[in-house]
Amino acid sequence: MHLIHVRLHTPCDFRVPEDLAAQFIAQATSVEGVEHVSVHPGAGQALTVGLYVVAESLVMAEQAALAVSRRAVARVPALRRSRITGCSVAIVGAYFDGLLERSSGDGRTMRLPDEDTAES
């Protein structure tokens, strides 16, 4: 499963509908593999929608998330004056930390110092 973030720029008077996540899911076809949607209002006119997509590859997941989001912007009345400004995979830190721990020890991958501790 891939978490894809779709960023939107919304109108000044935009209010997030309570059922916006459900409205996004309603735009997905069964082939697109959208399992869950989360909605995160940001500062100003920013809105981030997280789509959890089951797909064979990251590229396929991003394509599905973008297609669903385009349909939502075109069909959901509250989003009609919004525009999509970005669509990309969310970086999951724990996943990448796990990759580092399984590295071959050849020095090509190493953790960055933790800037929040005295040990950095």
Side-chain angles (χ1 to χ4, degrees):
M1 183 171 313
H2 305 280
L3 170 56
I4 310 298
H5 282 164
V6 176
R7 287 162 300 287
L8 294 104
H9 183 270
T10 59
C12 294
D13 59 346
F14 178 77
R15 299 288 176 258
V16 179
E18 287 185 28
D19 65 341
L20 188 57
Q23 291 186 59
F24 263 82
I25 290 174
Q27 303 306 315
T29 66
S30 59
V31 200
E32 289 168 320
V34 176
E35 294 283 320
H36 178 73
V37 172
S38 60
V39 177
H40 309 279
Q45 295 170 265
L47 178 69
T48 300
V49 179
L51 292 94
Y52 294 81
V53 181
V54 176
E56 291 182 27
S57 71
L58 178 58
V59 171
M60 292 173 72
E62 286 179 331
Q63 289 172 344
L66 186 56
V68 169
S69 299
R70 284 179 173 155
R71 284 194 294 275
V73 167
R75 296 176 182 169
V76 174
L79 295 176
R80 289 225 171 105
R81 295 182 300 142
S82 300
R83 67 178 168 26
I84 296 170
T85 60
C87 176
S88 60
V89 67
I91 295 178
V92 181
Y95 170 76
F96 290 102
D97 285 346
L99 288 178
L100 290 174
E101 289 170 6
R102 291 188 300 270
S103 73
S104 62
D106 61 7
R108 289 186 289 169
T109 56
M110 59 186 286
R111 273 187 206 276
L112 294 174
D114 185 353
E115 296 178 12
D116 291 337
T117 67
E119 297 174 12
S120 53

